[in-house]
Amino acid sequence: MTTSTLQRSLGVHRVLEPAGVLPQAAQRLDADPAIGPDEVRIAVQRINLDAASYRQLTEEHGGDGDRVRAAVLEIVESRGKMHNPVTGSGGMLIGVVDEVGPDSPLGLRPGQRVATLVSLTLTPLRITDGLARWDGRSEQVPAAGTAVLFARSIAAVLPDDLPQEVALAVLDVCGAPAATERVVRRAGHRPSVAVLGAAGKSGSLSLAAARDARAGRLIGVVRNGQEADALRSAGLADEVVVADATDPLAVAAAVGRCVDVTVVCVDVPGAEHGAVLTTADGGTVLFFSMATSFSAAALGAEGMASDVTMLVGNGYTPGHAALALDLYRRSRGVRALIEPRVRG
Amino acid sequence: MTTSTLQRSLGVHRVLEPAGVLPQAAQRLDADPAIGPDEVRIAVQRINLDAASYRQLTEEHGGDGDRVRAAVLEIVESRGKMHNPVTGSGGMLIGVVDEVGPDSPLGLRPGQRVATLVSLTLTPLRITDGLARWDGRSEQVPAAGTAVLFARSIAAVLPDDLPQEVALAVLDVCGAPAATERVVRRAGHRPSVAVLGAAGKSGSLSLAAARDARAGRLIGVVRNGQEADALRSAGLADEVVVADATDPLAVAAAVGRCVDVTVVCVDVPGAEHGAVLTTADGGTVLFFSMATSFSAAALGAEGMASDVTMLVGNGYTPGHAALALDLYRRSRGVRALIEPRVRG
């Protein structure tokens, strides 16, 4: 691949300033709806603001919906993308495929309803309705406009058989079960697996993925009795134990014999050492929490003389969206844990 | 092993606050030189600050050596360990075994000269000379004081055939070549390997380890012509290229065809995206820089739809100290790159 082809595939040609950086690092993108030969244009229907971004905007504008709406419009107008300058975060969007360039490798067809699985912080976006149908008081923003996908973007076609909210909730965490499936398959014969944060969206899907990948003993670690009851009813784990994931010694005591693979799905900081401590020498820790500290993981393992392989959970694995939606459809236990969360 | 024995072996009894966490996560340790039955006391001779920590302190204090020294003293005094609160990193130390508790499993004897291979971020440390012999302008800090090793700590007896400064410099980064060796061996037939920060200590040792592990094409990425000349003379890489590791497109352009394994040994933030971009799908990125951002790595790979395995570099691999010292002894190129740094 030539440098210019690589740059195009990542959307560097859409960067207006500063020149030469990747779109996520850019101050401003060119959101022109006219697409290049390897791009795809989406007719936007709805924007899901990242929770941290929405909270920041609401606080900055004293909860005044009109001002929040004006702020979002101003960001998108000035940056060519919904990239909150304070939080650095964006969100995702839903729309209908409008036009597909002849060289696009994404396999999309006009008329398909899709969700973008790359962040809005790198997606060229133009809004054409002034967000008139949005009161500025929710993360979910009805919108009309256009977005552009690059050759290396990722979009998932929304399934017909699942409610849109369910599909979005599953797609939001689809990297975790795909990575878990791969790690467990590669970990030898029926490896034992512990999942921290096992009753949540990514945790329950990861348990189901581990079972699918022929895990041996499967342990779900949850934070309280209510989650333990829900996870036991769901039947996704062989053992359900309660422990504070941020208390390494409590996690080790609850899990008991060390496991071959530990998957970290809790969304609080401080789970690194417990995960390392409960993983056997030669085993693997898969960190799928954005609250993970690189140095805490690296120095923690070293400090405990623990010979574990530690993986940074990659949000992208080929086929991750289909795998997660399939697990949701096939697993009554996953549905039982995720549905109440979507209904909120 | 009972929970209380496990706790003692990890040094939990030395944690003053917050109670019950492991020593690395602690705000403050008890650095009392009186040891317990399974502990070892070291008479400190020299501290080696982690490169990221030293750089941060130097930048924060505008390169003023006196202020850097005062900052290190303040950290050790207030925390009972050398744990940089900004970078989260520490370093290691060298000293003489002073007293060995009767139940210590480390196999040390009083009078042996050792280097601690667990991070200073979890090592109880007391400094008694005010670091009077240090000008604050180098990572190597002559020091007097005491340090304590736990049952699960790691210390290497210093070899007789190498100068102390050399052994310390090599042992400080011995996790990187050991992890590189393992990753390259497991990556299939003669995988291509790029090392970012290839002219440094961990970088040059990682290049030598990759060669030993039968790497294929071996590329050293350095930041300027001077480093390139030094690395070419050392003969550790098949190709030497110059690129700013924090500029993803520059790294990708310099490396050219994507490699199977990328090892990140630079000590500046922002190298995650370049490393991901220059690694082939199905390949592995080994992050051995304490300046690595977990979220930048995770979201970067996702945003570029890059199917790479990302590893948190674990400072501990069995046999890592012997492997690194052996590489140093056997490789004239490694010696040529590391010796001037130690002398400098």
Side-chain angles (χ1 to χ4, degrees), chain A residues 10 20 152 182 249 273 287 289-290 292 294 298-299 302-316 318, chain B residues 7 24 88 119 122 152 182 249 277 287 289 294 298 302 304-316 318:
Chain A
L10 295 166
R152 274 178 83 158
R182 182 185 279 187
L249 297 163
H273 293 181
F287 287 107
S289 160
M290 274 304 145
T292 302
F294 182 89
L299 297 177
E302 178 187 280
M304 294 185 274
S306 179
D307 180 23
V308 295
T309 297
M310 295 180 285
L311 298 173
V312 177
N314 181 347
Y316 176 69
Chain B
Q7 294 194 6
Q24 205 245 325
S119 172
L122 54 89
R152 264 177 89 157
R182 182 185 278 186
L249 295 165
L277 199 52
F287 287 107
S289 161
F294 184 90
E302 179 187 282
M304 295 185 272
S306 180
D307 180 22
V308 294
T309 297
M310 295 180 285
L311 297 173
V312 178
N314 181 347
Y316 177 68

Side-chain angles (χ1 to χ4, degrees), chain A residues 168-170 172-173 177 197-206 334 338 341-342:
Chain A
L168 285 179
V170 171
D172 186 38
V173 296
K201 285 195 302 176
S202 58
S204 61
L205 283 162
S206 294
V334 169
I338 291 183
R341 289 174 173 263
V342 174

